[in-house]
Amino acid sequence: MSVDDEAGWRKLWAGYLEFYKNSDLPEAVTANSFNRFLDNDEWFAFVAVEDTQLVGFVHALLHPSTWSENDVCYLEDLFVAQSVRGGGVGRALIEKVFEEARSRNCHRVYWITEESNKQARILYDDLATLTGFVHYRREL
């Protein structure tokens, strides 16, 4: 991803926030997130482009693990425009994360999604193993 992708990314980001019912995210958080992807060794992001339009993005974060000497990769966000869903864009973005994680000598890639995200889970079930872990969270 490059600085030239910001306008298209922001449009997709707004769709992503709407999908997860979080449209009131402060602008400062959005701006900070985009800047992280441009100049940070721990974060990386890729976009998918069709006919000069951004149609998808993926964001990932590398971090140490107590289960490996190598880092692991957390695929934090994945979004594909509704108009191209089911056409391989999501798969290509995830495969790009796998490729980047391998190049950085990561032990594994992992991610979470909502249980009800059935369309995405069809793809995820094809690409990875459902672990069965339960996700807990507490806002601070």
Side-chain angles (χ1 to χ4, degrees), residues 21-77:
K21 298 171 181 61
N22 196 3
S23 297
D24 60 346
L25 192 72
E27 164 57 26
V29 174
T30 293
N32 185 55
S33 293
F34 184 80
N35 289 327
R36 278 184 184 146
F37 307 136
L38 298 179
D39 189 28
N40 190 310
D41 290 338
E42 295 169 340
W43 286 94
F44 61 88
F46 298 107
V47 294
V49 180
E50 285 189 4
D51 299 325
T52 71
Q53 298 295 312
L54 267 65
V55 296
F57 65 72
V58 66
H59 309 142
L61 169 67
L62 305 178
H63 66 86
S65 169
T66 59
W67 294 83
S68 171
E69 293 178 355
N70 298 3
D71 284 348
V72 296
C73 178
Y74 174 51
L75 190 163
E76 184 161 358
D77 306 307

